[in-house]
Amino acid sequence: MSSSFFTLPTSQRKRKRTDTGPISSSRKGTTIATGSSVARAGLPKKPRRDESISGSDSDEDEAPKKDDIDEGEDGAISSESDHEDETGAERRLRLAERYLANIKGEVDEIGFDAEEIDRDLIAERLKDDVAETKGRLYRHIASDFDFQCTTKTHFRADTLSTTSIATCPPYAYTVSKDLYIIKWQLPEPTLPSTNPRKTKKSPPSRRRPIKLLTSRGNTRNAHDLTYKHHTAHILTIAASSDGRFVATGGADKRLIIWSAADLTPLRVFTQHRDAVTSLAFRRGTNQLYSSSKDRTIKTWSLNELAYVETLFGHQDEVVDVAALAQERCLSVGARDRTVRLWKVVEETQLVFRGGGGEKKSRNQGKEARPSFAEGSIDRVAMIDEEMFITGADNGSLSLWTMHKKKPVFSLPLAHGLDPALTPEEAYAEQNPDPKVPSPPQPRWITALATVPYSDLILSGSWDGWIRVWKVSADKRRIEAVGTVGRVQGAVDGPDVLMEDVTDMEQQKVGNGDDRSAKEEQVIRGVINDISVFERGERGKDGLCIVAAVGTEHRFGRWKKVPGKNGAVVFEIRNTVP
């Protein structure tokens, strides 16, 4: 097979442009007349799709058509013949610039901010997603909410102390010492009316959560291995993010998986050898971590309802566990005063050691405060994948990072001091010496929660308040924001740090020594657990805080506080439009 196309070199096959002839000078869209195209030369030409790009085929002496005329950026009219010598790339660039100029003119006329659209819809969302994927703190939202002006609703059933609470919007789950598991439906927050004609002030709506389902265990079935419920105090509860599962653990050494829809038991696990103290789901998955007084942490896969493995290392009972998106968890070992980071995939662990006391003040002019050593680390919560916070029995909050074995910052007496005990309460003698003083004791950190990947921290004790903290901009300190709710006469607010409040003021306001403060306490009782979630997309519609409250500590009866058993819901308004 021989053809001139395959045998002739390229230089001889290329046709050169001739000055005479009706062929258009435009490079794009022209064809070479060969064969049958010559025979059709006398036929009328077909209209082209885009004459502004292909150009005109008329003679030089013919006037330019309207379609062949374009306007430049300055409004001057120029014919297509002015751009005959430009290449295809130059033509595309010129048309793109003209398109952008037209779009800019339309935006200026309408008053539309294209930069705002780009920031809100694309740039900020991508930046947040990347930061969350990397597991770093990227949201500074502590100053976006008005924690003083809140709506508060107390709800309860006729139960003993509420030991734990879990939320999966719009539902909340509570457990108590008398073996109750209750599913509640949280009400939607009511927004203030924006109708200017409505002058009459309507009372604020205080709708209580609705009790949907209730399930109760029985202590008489403690020796029945086929009984699918708890037979001792239920100490902890957790709900999966997809709303399918609810997990509970109790002093009966049982871990029970429930269907969140109807609270029917799906599986009972008895692998733990002592009380199950805490539960945590890995964020966005159905992987569960459980801690126990048998000094172990166990991992579970709820998709298969199966046990996975056991993590060993603590020298004392494990009282709390926390997890985020990565396949790792944090646990605290009570009186072994360690925090351990478990890397499940690598099968390794990092040990962070606490036990430090309060540093002595260098200011000689001020009255020295009593120092309390850290005896037990009771609570832990993860801020992001590299930072976490712990609470201890000496009332201190400690900020940690994965790169240091000691806390970066410790805030002592976060919830103040209890008043001194009377001689009869402090000593066992029948006639104690009244001259021997009983020193005041710090309030333990009994509850701790964070909004993941943000600077917002919430802590609870039995002083009557949920305190709000934030991580500083340099990630080296914990700063006070205020309290959830307002108590008249309280020393709080975003500009007041705990170091500026004396011990006597903390005792007077926090514990309610006088009658007026006691009557106006925000929460009366021990805050055993805190759950928080954002309403709307990234908290645009506010923040919801739910606290489990009881007259006793969740692990024992050694601390009795006057109050009510149940739970409290706070709705916090977002002040950023």
Side-chain angles (χ1 to χ4, degrees), residues 9-297:
T10 306
S11 60
Q12 297 183 17
R13 283 190 280 112
K14 186 176 181 181
R15 292 177 178 268
K16 294 185 178 180
R17 182 186 303 173
T18 58
D19 296 337
T20 61
I23 300 177
S24 173
S25 60
S26 177
R27 296 171 182 262
K28 192 171 183 179
T30 58
T31 56
I32 301 174
T34 58
S36 61
S37 63
V38 179
R40 295 193 302 266
L43 298 177
K45 292 184 295 184
K46 297 181 180 179
R48 299 180 181 273
R49 292 185 178 180
D50 191 355
E51 296 188 3
S52 63
I53 297 179
S54 61
S56 175
D57 289 334
S58 60
D59 297 335
E60 294 182 0
D61 56 348
E62 186 179 354
K65 296 181 180 179
K66 185 177 181 180
D67 295 339
D68 296 332
I69 299 176
D70 58 357
E71 296 183 1
E73 295 181 2
D74 55 352
I77 300 176
S78 60
S79 64
E80 192 70 21
S81 60
D82 296 338
H83 306 288
E84 289 181 353
D85 298 333
E86 67 180 358
T87 62
E90 293 174 349
R91 177 181 293 274
R92 289 190 294 270
L93 178 61
R94 177 173 58 84
L95 295 176
E97 291 176 350
R98 186 174 64 181
Y99 172 77
L100 293 177
N102 295 336
I103 293 297
K104 184 178 180 181
E106 294 177 0
V107 168
D108 293 339
E109 293 176 1
I110 301 175
F112 209 73
D113 192 356
E115 183 180 358
E116 183 178 357
I117 293 180
D118 181 71
R119 181 178 65 253
D120 293 343
L121 299 182
I122 302 175
E124 288 297 326
R125 188 58 181 267
L126 290 177
K127 188 186 299 182
D128 292 348
D129 291 342
V130 171
E132 184 171 351
T133 302
K134 293 182 179 180
R136 298 175 182 174
L137 186 151
Y138 67 96
R139 300 174 60 201
H140 299 274
I141 62 174
S143 58
D144 296 346
F145 299 97
D146 186 4
F147 292 98
Q148 301 296 316
C149 183
T150 62
T151 59
K152 169 194 168 186
T153 304
H154 185 277
F155 63 98
R156 58 167 295 179
D158 294 331
T159 62
L160 298 180
S161 295
T162 305
T163 56
S164 184
I165 193 165
T167 56
C168 181
Y171 303 109
Y173 305 87
T174 59
V175 291
S176 59
K177 286 188 175 182
D178 51 357
L179 315 186
Y180 269 107
I181 304 173
I182 305 177
K183 180 180 180 180
W184 308 82
Q185 183 175 0
L186 299 176
E188 292 293 331
T190 56
L191 300 177
S193 177
T194 58
N195 188 2
R197 299 181 180 179
K198 189 175 181 181
T199 57
K200 184 178 179 180
K201 294 183 178 180
S202 59
S205 177
R206 297 187 61 183
R207 295 167 50 199
R208 295 180 181 273
I210 303 172
K211 185 194 297 185
L212 300 179
L213 297 170
T214 303
S215 179
R216 189 180 186 183
N218 194 341
T219 57
R220 299 179 180 178
N221 297 325
H223 301 290
D224 186 1
L225 299 180
T226 62
Y227 184 61
K228 291 188 176 182
H229 212 297
H230 288 282
T231 58
H233 295 171
I234 306 177
L235 303 178
T236 180
I237 189 171
S240 61
S241 57
D242 60 358
R244 294 175 54 195
F245 302 105
V246 173
T248 58
D252 55 358
K253 311 176 187 179
R254 294 188 177 193
L255 169 64
I256 303 180
I257 310 301
W258 309 79
S259 171
D262 51 5
L263 289 185
T264 57
L266 301 177
R267 184 74 183 271
V268 178
F269 295 104
T270 59
Q271 278 84 348
H272 279 294
R273 298 183 178 181
D274 209 333
V276 180
T277 57
S278 182
L279 297 169
F281 276 94
R282 181 185 167 196
R283 185 179 175 89
T285 67
N286 288 324
Q287 184 174 355
L288 179 68
Y289 302 99
S290 64
S291 63
S292 172
K293 290 185 178 181
D294 62 3
R295 308 180 185 182
T296 65
I297 296 96

Side-chain angles (χ1 to χ4, degrees), residues 490-545:
V491 182
D492 56 11
D495 299 330
V496 180
L497 296 178
M498 285 302 300
E499 288 82 354
D500 301 330
V501 183
T502 63
D503 296 335
M504 190 59 65
E505 288 173 339
Q506 291 179 8
Q507 296 175 22
K508 184 176 180 181
V509 178
N511 192 63
D513 292 338
D514 56 350
R515 182 178 179 182
S516 61
K518 184 175 181 180
E519 291 177 352
E520 296 176 355
Q521 277 185 327
V522 177
I523 301 175
R524 297 186 60 189
V526 182
I527 302 175
N528 285 318
D529 198 6
I530 298 175
S531 181
V532 57
F533 64 91
E534 296 175 281
R535 292 195 179 273
E537 184 179 0
R538 300 182 185 272
K540 290 184 179 180
D541 297 336
L543 202 67
C544 182
I545 301 173

Side-chain angles (χ1 to χ4, degrees), residues 289-322:
Y289 302 99
S290 64
S291 63
S292 172
K293 290 185 178 181
D294 62 3
R295 308 180 185 182
T296 65
I297 296 96
K298 295 184 184 294
T299 62
W300 316 82
S301 177
L302 298 195
N303 290 328
E304 293 81 14
L305 294 177
Y307 159 78
V308 179
E309 63 177 328
T310 302
L311 308 175
F312 299 90
H314 279 289
Q315 302 303 311
D316 195 20
E317 56 189 33
V318 187
V319 293
D320 201 8
V321 65

Side-chain angles (χ1 to χ4, degrees), residues 236-544:
T236 180
I237 189 171
S240 61
S241 57
D242 60 358
R244 294 175 54 195
F245 302 105
V246 173
T248 58
D252 55 358
K253 311 176 187 179
R254 294 188 177 193
L255 169 64
I256 303 180
I257 310 301
W258 309 79
S259 171
D262 51 5
L263 289 185
T264 57
L266 301 177
R267 184 74 183 271
V268 178
F269 295 104
T270 59
Q271 278 84 348
H272 279 294
R273 298 183 178 181
D274 209 333
V276 180
T277 57
S278 182
L279 297 169
F281 276 94
R282 181 185 167 196
R283 185 179 175 89
T285 67
N286 288 324
Q287 184 174 355
L288 179 68
Y289 302 99
S290 64
S291 63
S292 172
K293 290 185 178 181
D294 62 3
R295 308 180 185 182
T296 65
I297 296 96
K298 295 184 184 294
T299 62
W300 316 82
S301 177
L302 298 195
N303 290 328
E304 293 81 14
L305 294 177
Y307 159 78
V308 179
E309 63 177 328
T310 302
L311 308 175
F312 299 90
H314 279 289
Q315 302 303 311
D316 195 20
E317 56 189 33
V318 187
V319 293
D320 201 8
V321 65
L324 282 182
Q326 295 186 10
E327 198 167 353
R328 54 174 64 179
C329 66
L330 275 171
S331 61
V332 289
R335 296 199 174 274
D336 71 356
R337 292 174 292 185
T338 63
V339 185
R340 295 178 186 259
L341 173 67
W342 307 90
K343 299 181 179 180
V344 179
V345 177
E346 294 87 345
E347 296 184 352
T348 59
Q349 59 176 296
L350 296 178
V351 183
F352 305 89
R353 301 193 180 277
E358 179 184 351
K359 295 182 180 179
K360 295 182 179 180
S361 176
R362 297 182 180 178
N363 299 329
Q364 300 296 332
K366 295 183 179 180
E367 183 180 357
R369 258 190 322 195
S371 177
F372 301 93
E374 188 178 67
S376 172
I377 304 179
D378 297 330
R379 282 297 192 176
V380 63
M382 297 187 71
I383 299 173
D384 58 19
E385 301 292 352
E386 296 182 355
M387 298 178 64
F388 60 94
I389 188 169
T390 58
D393 63 347
N394 65 343
S396 64
L397 291 174
S398 299
L399 181 66
W400 304 72
T401 179
M402 300 297 180
H403 309 294
K404 291 189 66 176
K405 299 295 183 180
K406 289 289 184 178
V408 176
F409 179 78
S410 293
L411 180 70
L413 301 176
H415 286 260
L417 295 169
D418 263 341
L421 298 176
T422 62
E424 289 77 9
E425 294 174 339
Y427 303 104
E429 291 84 358
Q430 291 183 355
N431 298 315
D433 188 359
K435 297 181 180 180
V436 179
S438 174
Q441 297 297 319
R443 300 187 182 98
W444 313 338
I445 305 298
T446 58
L448 204 57
T450 61
V451 176
Y453 308 109
S454 74
D455 61 341
L456 184 60
I457 303 169
L458 303 172
S459 65
S461 187
W462 58 80
D463 60 342
W465 295 342
I466 295 178
R467 295 189 181 269
V468 186
W469 315 88
K470 70 176 182 178
V471 182
S472 61
D474 57 357
K475 302 180 182 180
R476 304 288 296 178
R477 289 177 58 86
I478 302 173
E479 299 176 354
V481 176
T483 58
V484 179
R486 181 182 294 275
V487 176
Q488 295 182 1
V491 182
D492 56 11
D495 299 330
V496 180
L497 296 178
M498 285 302 300
E499 288 82 354
D500 301 330
V501 183
T502 63
D503 296 335
M504 190 59 65
E505 288 173 339
Q506 291 179 8
Q507 296 175 22
K508 184 176 180 181
V509 178
N511 192 63
D513 292 338
D514 56 350
R515 182 178 179 182
S516 61
K518 184 175 181 180
E519 291 177 352
E520 296 176 355
Q521 277 185 327
V522 177
I523 301 175
R524 297 186 60 189
V526 182
I527 302 175
N528 285 318
D529 198 6
I530 298 175
S531 181
V532 57
F533 64 91
E534 296 175 281
R535 292 195 179 273
E537 184 179 0
R538 300 182 185 272
K540 290 184 179 180
D541 297 336
L543 202 67
C544 182

